[in-house]
Amino acid sequence: MRKTVKRGLCAMALVGMGWGLGATQALAQTKLRAWNIHPDGYPVTEAMKSFADQVNKGTQGRYQIEVFSNATLGDQPKAVQMLKSGEIDVAEFSSGPLSDAVPGIKVLNLPFLFTDSAHMFRYLDGKLGERFAANLKTAGFVVVGWYDGGARSFYCAGRSPSNVRDLAGASIRVQQSEIYVEMVKLLDAKPVPLPFKEVMAGFEKGTIDCAENNMPSYEATGHYKLAKSVYVTNHVVSPEALVVSAALWGKLSEADRAVFQEAGSRSALLMRELWNKRVAQAQETTAKQGAQFVRVKDVSPFVRRMSPLYAKYMNDPTTREELLSIIANK
């Protein structure tokens, strides 16, 4: 009888211990929110989902990240504020808000600075990227992966540029950016700042002759239906960044930080791979629909025209060091 009672008490104690352990684990589980502006299926979104899976596995489920795509939590400026206030924990941003926080990053948007993404990542995966990451951390953004923002080229309706002179006089849609506006002026063309969603209407109404963007955007928006001539200049090759809020980073143990960093690095490599495939797919799809591609054979005429723009950023103390480090090691 005593043995039976003891066994019963032991069983109850074990059950109690198990329940307590389960409750502790449940309490230790932290759910995080991740933001990006892109739709499901896009390379950025898929890479972020991979990041979330790796963090979940690496922390044995203690950190679970839900990815909110398509800017469902708000636009990019709002997301920046949400990250700083702790409303979101992880985000993927273009170079725009990053350069607002760290002015030196502006140099990455200068035209004809990099020949392609591989060239750019030789710097960002090295000391320059480490310097940018250190400065961004001070501003509240902890970089865990550099993503590919794509290479931008010109595409036109009603004209077929094959050299720098063919862009003269064209009305070219640009985003609201000092660098882009000045770049188009230096090409003897007219910059037309327009919201991205109004580009198609601009082609339809004839208020713009050309626009410039990366190839997946050219294909996804249907711009290729009206602007059939693509002048492949790759004039701006820029990065995006997967970042963790400084508030979250401060709460992580060293071991968990290592998990987040490793997951971020892996997701960046995946994103770049998916992006390259997406670019090739976009070019193939639009070519089948009649898009004509002309590639720049010699960028030196473009580079010479950009001299005033380079000089301006060389004379700016917030960007001089970064620009010199890139130019000196080309």
Side-chain angles (χ1 to χ4, degrees), residues 152-202:
R152 303 174 76 94
S153 292
F154 296 102
Y155 49 88
C156 304
R159 61 172 66 203
S160 303
S162 60
N163 61 65
V164 67
R165 295 182 301 277
D166 292 338
L167 292 170
S171 295
I172 302 177
R173 180 268 170 181
V174 294
Q175 52 187 309
Q176 281 281 10
S177 163
E178 178 188 43
I179 288 178
Y180 285 85
V181 168
E182 188 62 23
M183 173 188 71
V184 169
K185 287 181 179 178
L186 291 172
L187 295 174
D188 293 331
K190 177 186 175 183
V192 182
L194 269 182
F196 185 55
K197 63 182 179 181
E198 296 179 19
V199 173
M200 183 65 92

Side-chain angles (χ1 to χ4, degrees), residues 10 95 192 267:
C10 287
S95 57
V192 182
S267 77

Side-chain angles (χ1 to χ4, degrees), residues 13-242:
L14 287 170
V15 170
M17 287 173 64
W19 178 88
L21 214 61
T24 302
Q25 289 173 341
L27 288 171
Q29 188 181 88
T30 302
K31 293 188 177 182
L32 307 175
R33 302 204 301 172
W35 175 97
N36 83 79
I37 202 170
H38 303 288
D40 284 333
Y42 200 77
V44 168
T45 306
E46 296 310 302
M48 288 184 73
K49 289 179 179 177
S50 173
F51 170 75
D53 288 341
Q54 291 176 68
V55 167
N56 183 27
K57 292 175 183 176
T59 62
Q60 292 78 48
R62 287 182 292 105
Y63 286 96
Q64 297 190 345
I65 302 172
E66 183 176 2
V67 178
F68 292 86
S69 55
N70 234 0
T72 53
L73 299 178
D75 60 15
Q76 188 160 253
K78 182 180 178 181
V80 170
Q81 296 306 315
M82 292 173 73
L83 187 83
K84 290 186 174 182
S85 67
E87 293 176 73
I88 59 175
D89 309 283
V90 180
E92 198 271 354
F93 292 133
S94 68
S95 57
L98 301 180
S99 60
D100 288 340
V102 178
I105 292 178
K106 288 180 183 178
V107 300
L108 299 178
N109 289 320
L110 284 173
F112 304 101
L113 190 62
F114 301 113
T115 55
D116 53 27
S117 294
H119 182 202
M120 175 182 68
F121 285 125
R122 285 207 298 272
Y123 292 92
L124 290 181
D125 290 338
K127 292 182 178 179
L128 183 63
E130 290 174 2
R131 186 157 73 243
F132 283 144
N135 292 336
L136 283 166
K137 186 176 181 181
T138 303
F141 306 88
V142 180
V143 178
V144 292
W146 291 108
Y147 282 18
D148 197 340
R152 303 174 76 94
S153 292
F154 296 102
Y155 49 88
C156 304
R159 61 172 66 203
S160 303
S162 60
N163 61 65
V164 67
R165 295 182 301 277
D166 292 338
L167 292 170
S171 295
I172 302 177
R173 180 268 170 181
V174 294
Q175 52 187 309
Q176 281 281 10
S177 163
E178 178 188 43
I179 288 178
Y180 285 85
V181 168
E182 188 62 23
M183 173 188 71
V184 169
K185 287 181 179 178
L186 291 172
L187 295 174
D188 293 331
K190 177 186 175 183
V192 182
L194 269 182
F196 185 55
K197 63 182 179 181
E198 296 179 19
V199 173
M200 183 65 92
F203 279 123
E204 291 172 342
K205 296 175 182 177
T207 54
I208 59 172
D209 303 306
C210 308
E212 55 83 48
N213 215 314
N214 58 57
M215 287 301 97
S217 293
Y218 171 64
E219 184 258 337
T221 54
H223 292 172
Y224 66 91
K225 296 176 182 178
L226 297 176
K228 298 283 188 183
S229 299
V230 182
Y231 192 23
V232 185
T233 52
N234 290 341
H235 51 267
V236 172
V237 181
S238 60
E240 298 185 352
L242 180 66

